[in-house]
Amino acid sequence: MSAAQVWKILPPTLDPASPWAYGVDGKWLRRQGVFLLHRNITTKENLYWSFHSSESYPALRLDSDKLIKLLESKGNLPSAAVSDWKGAIVSAVTATFGDIPHQRCLTHVTRTAKTLLPQRSPFQATLALREIAVGLILIKRHEEVSAWFKQLVAWYDRYGCLLKQRTKNPETKRGWWYTHGNLRGAWRLLTDNPEPFFKHLDHPLLPHSNNSLEGKISQAVNKLTDHRGMKLNQQVSFLNWHFTFTRVKNKQDLKKLWDFWKRR
């Protein structure tokens, strides 16, 4: 059962007068392909799903082009979006829905920062930047944004020299590398493009993270561990049916689904 077929039988409840936020995320299946889920974050309703060989821009645009036609039939396009900020996703959202507010998932940002900045590091610079990164997800007001940036400036004034330190080794091809590569990576993560971190402060519809979507697709994929012997096509079929049944709200919906399936 495909997502497009489910729209015909059990269309989502999209009130043309109600604004909503869009989210998209993907989950790899044994590194053989990725299952994409598009969701109404506001009403927590799954809108569209599909399987592709990769989480690439063409795959996302293919989905988005089909989804936008379905949404236009309901007369209600999203007014905002949230994602983990992969380049392909950002480009696809902008190309499909235009310049709508797009929140970067702060859970993904802090998770990456914690990986780059281990809690048991012996370096004070690492621990101090980790504390700043963890504080990002706690920001609720614009005044706190200013204070957060001041913390970054203070950190750079004290430890910024470490970002430029190099370790030399003439025997390597390049001859040198940055001594504190992970520290540089975390600094870039927090400072290269921080504007999408704070979209949720101006748009009440937007959550500060993509947790509800990531959790929903992870729960579905985790169910596959109970059936480890399934081949890839069987896994994809299982997930298609799983998300189909998330649109079933009562016995009448179930009967509509069964009647459609019998006709096939």
Side-chain angles (χ1 to χ4, degrees):
M1 180 71 69
S2 70
Q5 290 172 327
V6 178
W7 265 76
K8 296 178 181 178
I9 313 161
L10 303 172
T13 52
L14 281 171
D15 182 356
S18 299
W20 59 283
Y22 161 83
V24 59
D25 196 16
K27 197 73 173 179
W28 283 87
L29 303 180
R30 297 183 182 176
R31 301 181 183 235
Q32 299 179 60
V34 64
F35 197 89
L36 295 175
L37 178 63
H38 306 257
R39 184 172 168 89
N40 182 334
I41 299 296
T42 306
T43 63
K44 295 180 172 56
E45 191 167 25
N46 303 318
L47 299 174
Y48 197 86
W49 49 88
S50 63
F51 178 76
H52 296 278
S53 59
S54 67
E55 197 173 358
S56 62
Y57 177 75
L60 288 157
R61 275 308 306 271
L62 182 63
D63 273 14
S64 298
D65 288 344
K66 293 178 180 178
L67 177 59
I68 197 170
K69 291 178 181 177
L70 296 170
L71 293 173
E72 286 173 343
S73 70
K74 301 286 289 185
N76 193 350
L77 299 181
S79 57
V82 58
S83 75
D84 59 11
W85 211 252
K86 290 186 176 72
I89 290 179
V90 174
S91 298
V93 170
T94 302
T96 306
F97 301 116
D99 190 23
I100 60 175
H102 191 164
Q103 170 71 33
R104 183 170 184 175
C105 175
L106 297 186
T107 298
H108 280 82
V109 174
T110 54
R111 187 186 301 158
T112 302
K114 286 179 179 179
T115 300
L116 294 170
L117 305 167
Q119 190 173 13
R120 296 184 179 181
S121 171
F123 298 106
Q124 186 58 39
T126 297
L127 299 178
L129 191 57
R130 178 188 172 95
E131 185 176 350
I132 296 172
V134 170
L136 178 62
I137 204 167
L138 303 176
I139 293 175
K140 305 296 182 185
R141 298 176 300 169
H142 285 288
E143 295 82 358
E144 295 170 348
V145 175
S146 300
W148 187 77
F149 277 115
K150 287 179 181 178
Q151 287 181 301
L152 282 175
V153 172
W155 184 93
Y156 187 82
D157 288 343
R158 185 172 182 181
Y159 301 110
C161 58
L162 298 176
L163 302 176
K164 302 174 185 178
Q165 283 187 2
R166 299 181 180 185
T167 298
K168 296 182 179 180
N169 185 347
E171 296 182 3
T172 63
K173 184 176 181 180
R174 189 179 185 184
W176 63 273
W177 60 84
Y178 285 107
T179 306
H180 306 285
N182 284 351
L183 196 64
R184 283 175 57 85
W187 176 255
R188 288 197 304 270
L189 175 70
L190 298 176
T191 61
D192 270 4
N193 183 22
E195 194 243 352
F197 295 164
F198 310 110
K199 294 290 186 180
H200 67 285
L201 298 178
D202 295 315
H203 304 279
L205 275 177
L206 279 172
H208 66 253
S209 77
N210 208 18
N211 280 359
S212 66
L213 173 55
E214 185 181 14
K216 183 60 64 174
I217 193 169
S218 293
Q219 288 171 13
V221 173
N222 287 343
K223 292 180 183 297
L224 296 174
T225 58
D226 296 332
H227 308 279
R228 297 179 185 275
M230 285 198 295
K231 297 179 180 178
L232 180 63
N233 64 323
Q234 293 172 321
Q235 293 182 56
V236 174
S237 179
F238 174 90
L239 292 174
N240 278 327
W241 277 108
H242 173 85
F243 288 111
T244 294
F245 280 109
T246 63
R247 294 273 273 276
V248 174
K249 308 301 181 185
N250 49 52
K251 290 183 178 180
Q252 288 75 22
D253 290 346
L254 191 60
K255 185 177 186 305
K256 290 178 184 178
L257 198 62
W258 177 240
D259 289 343
F260 176 84
W261 185 250
K262 283 194 298 185
R263 289 196 299 272
R264 288 174 56 83

